[in-house]
Amino acid sequence: MKKIIKHIYNESNIGYYLIEPFLKTYYFLKYRTSSDKAFLKKQFKNNFGYPINLDHPKTLNEKILWLKLNDRTRLHTISADKFAVRDYIKEKIGNEYLIPISFMTKNVNDITPMNLPDYPCIIKTNHDSGGGIFVRDKKKLNYTETKKLLKRRLSRNYYYAKKEWQYKDIEPCIIVEKLLTTPDGSIPADYKFHCFNGKLAYIQVDLDRATDHKRNHYDPDWNFLDFKWIYENGNQVERPESLEKMKALSEKIAEDFIYVRVDLYTIDSKIYFGELTFHSESGLGKFTPEVWDKKLGEKLALPL
């Protein structure tokens, strides 16, 4: 029944307008009627099966949730905004690391063939977490469905679902960005540099996200770390030629934060900035084996 309702909601305008009022009521009761602290404590207990220790957090997930509640600055909001963060990155490391943007708008009706570039691009919103719409040929894009999806995304405040405060006051917009591809046309590997207290702690590499999502982890010297974080491990990834440069860039960006994940791409030795994330997996990502949650947590110092 859930699959049927989801299909009707996603695939038809009538279904959307019939179901949306009930969803709004459900989300209001679930996400907005309790304090952030009470909500996160309940989420953690439901996910891990034991209560969180916010007074003396030990694991990485506990510390990420502590940061959700206690590490809130205007810079976090700017940096979580996929459009506004560009000025911050330009100031920190330079304009040459930014992925070219061809278009920005707050109106879904501006998404037309005339406004999209002739080269492959990605359409995404600036105020939430998640992937965008890959457009390899704008002539084949379903503009009606694209506008419908974007309208829904623009109407939602991502803060309420996960209590990630930095998203709360971002003014939503749509960004059309150049789609990065390797010489064979595939999407490049996504290198995610987890920085604790301004220093690189470990590197996450996400593979085959559009098909069969896999995830590997490496220490700063590119030694494989034998654990899983939500996703299964994939094939071993060769040490990127520009690793040392990417490490230096990530730490330069991270010097302003207690914890941040800096996402970078590299194609033909050129490095591109992706985005910044302050609460990876929203502090609810299970490790296998579990001991890695504590091992990594020990590396992150909080201002308790």
Side-chain angles (χ1 to χ4, degrees), residues 50-232:
Y50 62 89
I52 188 172
N53 185 344
L54 288 173
D55 294 324
H56 301 287
K58 301 295 184 184
T59 68
L60 180 58
N61 280 300
E62 285 181 320
K63 290 185 176 183
I64 288 174
L65 289 186
W66 187 95
L67 289 168
K68 274 191 188 184
L69 295 170
N70 298 285
D71 189 29
R72 299 180 171 187
T73 70
R74 176 61 182 161
L75 183 56
H76 284 80
T77 296
I78 293 170
S79 300
D81 183 327
K82 294 180 179 63
F83 186 69
V85 72
R86 294 174 64 86
D87 287 335
Y88 174 71
I89 293 301
K90 180 179 178 180
E91 179 183 335
K92 293 293 290 186
I93 61 174
N95 190 60
E96 63 267 29
Y97 299 103
L98 295 174
I99 300 172
I101 281 184
S102 63
F103 189 62
M104 187 278 283
T105 183
K106 297 177 183 178
N107 187 347
V108 298
N109 293 319
D110 289 335
I111 303 301
T112 64
M114 183 180 298
N115 287 331
L116 295 186
D118 293 326
Y119 51 80
C121 63
I122 180 170
I123 306 172
K124 59 186 181 182
T125 49
N126 68 318
H127 69 301
D128 56 5
S129 178
I133 301 165
F134 291 170
V135 183
R136 293 186 180 271
D137 183 349
K138 66 180 183 179
K139 295 178 183 177
K140 298 180 180 179
L141 181 65
N142 186 323
Y143 287 88
T144 300
E145 291 302 313
T146 298
K147 291 176 184 179
K148 183 170 68 173
L149 174 61
L150 291 171
K151 185 177 181 180
R152 296 180 190 180
R153 291 185 66 164
L154 288 175
S155 69
R156 291 173 183 159
N157 191 316
Y158 189 74
Y159 153 74
Y160 291 105
K162 300 291 179 66
K163 303 298 185 182
E164 297 186 28
W165 177 88
Q166 67 271 21
Y167 292 107
K168 187 174 185 180
D169 295 322
I170 296 176
E171 184 175 359
C173 72
I174 301 165
I175 306 167
V176 179
E177 186 177 84
K178 181 179 179 180
L179 179 65
L180 298 181
T181 57
T182 61
D184 66 2
S186 61
I187 303 301
D190 194 353
Y191 299 96
K192 301 176 183 292
F193 295 77
H194 292 256
C195 296
F196 298 173
N197 311 109
K199 297 298 181 182
L200 177 62
Y202 69 101
I203 305 161
Q204 170 186 328
V205 186
D206 283 281
L207 307 164
D208 303 321
R209 298 185 67 171
T211 53
D212 185 19
H213 195 163
K214 296 289 191 298
R215 177 177 290 173
N216 291 351
H217 301 88
Y218 300 87
D219 72 10
D221 295 319
W222 207 252
N223 296 304
F224 178 72
L225 300 176
D226 193 13
F227 69 85
K228 300 171 187 176
W229 197 17
I230 299 181
Y231 299 98
E232 294 293 319

